[in-house]
Each structure stands twice: as C-alpha cells, then as structure tokens.
Amino acid sequence: MSNIRRVAVIGLGSMGGAMASTLHRAGWTVTGFDPSEAARDAAALTGISTTADLKELAGTPYAVLSLPSASVVEATVPTLLAAPGTIAIIDTTTSEPGTSKSMAELAASHDAAFVDAPVSGGRDGAATGSLSAFVGATDSALTAAEPVLEALTGGKYAHIGGPGSGNVVKLLNNVLAAANLVSVGEALGVAKAYGIDPAVAAASISSASGGSKVSDAMYPNWVLSGTHNSGFSLGLMARDAALAIDVARQMGQHPELLAAAASQWQDALAVLGPAADFTEIARTVAPDVTPAGAPDKTSAPDPTSTTDKTSAPDKSPAA
C-alpha cells in the first residue's frame, strides 16, 4: 500500500509547494520537481524529497501538476508516462480544454488516467488541504484520481463533466473574479470620492445583495490594507481572463461585459507588469482606495516578462 501512495508533484511554486506539503502531512511519499533550485530547496525544508530531473519521476503511481501553462503540461505528461506504473495524473493547472482532452487520450493509451482539476482557494487552501477543484474526467479516470483529490480538497471537488470541462468552468470562475475585482474597485472609488470610508462601504455591501468574496475579503485584506500580498500574480490572472474570452469565442459566444473586464486586466498588465500581485488591479481602476496608490506609468515594466511572484512552474488561483 505504501508503494502505491507515492506521488510526484511537478511545480513547487506557491501552490505546488503547498500541495506537496499537504500530501506529505497526509502520509503520502512525495517527490517534487521544479526547474528552480530555490523552489526545490524550499520544498526540501518541509521534508519533501526533490529531484532536478523530471525523467526520474516517470511511472510514479500518482502525479500532481501545478504548471504555468498548457504548453508546459503538454511537454510534461509524455515524460511522466514514459515508464509503466502511472495510475493517475491530476492536473491542477489553469490549462486549456483542448490540451486536457488530448492528454486524457494519451494517458488512456498508457492505461493511466488524466484529469483536469484546476483548483480554487489559493495558497492557504493548498496548505491546509481545503482547496476546491473543478474536475473534468471520465468516470473511471475520476475514480483513479480520487485518493489525491480527497487529500487536496477534503472532498470539495465537483465533477463538471468530461475531459476539459474542469478547465472551462475554472476559467469562467477566474474571469468572473477578475470582473468583480474591477467592479468592486470602481464602486469603492465612488464611495471614497463621496467621503465614505471604503472599508465601511465594503463591509456594508458584503452583507447585502452586491456582496462577494471580493468585497468581503479580498479588498479588506489585500487592497484597503495596501499589502497586496495574496501570492497570486497579476500576470496569471490577466492570462486566465484572456483565455476565458478566447475559449468563449471558440464556442461562438461573445460575452461583452467579461471581455471588457479582461481588457482592463491587459491595461493593468502593461503598467504594472506580470509580477505584480493580482489585487494591484485596484491601483489602476481605483487608485484612491489603496495606500499603494496609482502606479508610476513613466517606468512601466515589460508586460512580456515571464517573471512572477510564483516560482515556475506553478499554477495558482487564489481566485
């Protein structure tokens, strides 16, 4: 039994590292991989074995992916399947539905399961095994992946449908969160302009019909405080919002309000850069409500940089 309870965690950034620690505490034998030596060293301090060679993890019974993009998922899965023994690959990356479908087919051809299981709950949820997951999988693949999903979520996962469907709903979740971060910021900016304390306005709204996790927690904890330390990068949220709109258009849908919000995230990305915390969107849509204030547009960072506050490869939705 102990041999079966072996899991590889690919990507030891903010989310992946926390998930690896959760699995370790739950009694799993965990081996982590990340191209970043610093990320591997940080994981090792929590008692996790690490490797700098992904090939060493081929054939591990279970694997959890926490990667920065669908293209990295596509490059990783064949390596993990290169040796027999894989039971299930659980991909927590906010990936693309087409990639998940093709990876599920590839895994099935190796008598293994692949499920897309992008997660929500941020690093705190990852560290406490209380994430929620949007799962796309066949029934048999879900059954194969359940031991790991239970450990990471405490049973808080929803089987959305077949391969790729978890990605679709997670992207919709993130673009809705992205839109809400903009709209709540704009609303609190109006309150501040009228002389109302934004914290009082946010608390009042949060107990009424306009309330949300954004108004109840994200703005008070990370924006109004000026800390902007959620651990999830603006670059990743801007990517997720744009990808959600791309997927919608591929399906012949044209969500105008969500597309407008996604465009505002691209504007913020150009000014703040991908490494900024995702809650710093407030600095562009409502700079008066955060002590951090408006960004200095004269020294805007390069928005094409791949650097962010999570160690690559990583995934994360705090959202």
Side-chain angles (χ1 to χ4, degrees), residues 54-319:
L54 180 63
K55 294 178 181 178
E56 292 184 1
L57 299 179
T60 304
Y62 295 91
V64 173
L65 310 186
S66 184
L67 301 171
S69 67
S71 62
V72 182
V73 172
E74 291 175 338
T76 299
V77 172
T79 300
L80 295 174
L81 295 171
T86 301
I87 296 172
I89 297 172
I90 297 89
D91 184 17
T92 69
T93 308
T94 302
S95 185
E96 301 179 24
T99 293
S100 292
K101 287 182 179 180
S102 62
M103 292 302 98
E105 292 172 358
L106 178 64
S109 71
H110 287 75
D111 296 320
F114 178 97
V115 305
D116 48 288
V119 294
S120 182
R123 61 188 177 190
D124 290 342
T128 57
S130 58
L131 292 166
S132 57
F134 307 87
V135 181
T138 63
D139 290 342
S140 60
L142 176 61
T143 298
E146 276 180 336
V148 171
L149 288 171
E150 287 285 344
L152 294 176
T153 72
K156 289 195 308 178
Y157 60 87
H159 186 194
I160 306 298
S165 59
N167 297 139
V168 172
V169 175
K170 176 58 193 301
L171 288 170
L172 293 175
N173 174 81
N174 279 20
V175 75
L176 283 168
N180 200 211
L181 277 152
V182 171
S183 62
V184 170
E186 291 179 344
L188 296 184
V190 173
K192 178 70 178 291
Y194 194 79
I196 299 169
D197 183 342
V200 173
S204 299
I205 290 169
S206 294
S207 61
S209 60
S212 65
K213 287 184 178 180
V214 172
S215 64
D216 184 50
M218 292 184 185
Y219 266 81
N221 293 344
W222 296 320
V223 177
L224 303 182
S225 66
T227 57
H228 297 293
N229 62 350
S230 73
F232 185 58
S233 74
L234 189 148
L236 291 179
M237 185 58 115
R239 177 209 65 182
D240 292 352
L243 184 55
I245 302 306
D246 286 345
V247 169
R249 288 171 175 161
Q250 290 169 18
M251 298 297 102
Q253 300 298 305
H254 301 281
E256 294 182 7
L257 177 60
L258 296 179
S263 178
Q264 287 180 277
W265 281 83
Q266 293 301 314
D267 293 342
L269 180 63
V271 175
L272 292 164
D277 193 85
F278 87 120
T279 62
E280 291 187 66
I281 184 71
R283 297 180 63 198
T284 64
V285 300
D288 291 342
V289 307
T290 175
D296 180 4
K297 296 183 180 181
T298 63
S299 57
D302 178 6
T304 64
S305 168
T306 57
T307 304
D308 62 43
K309 290 183 179 177
T310 58
S311 171
D314 193 19
K315 127 84 220 96
S316 168

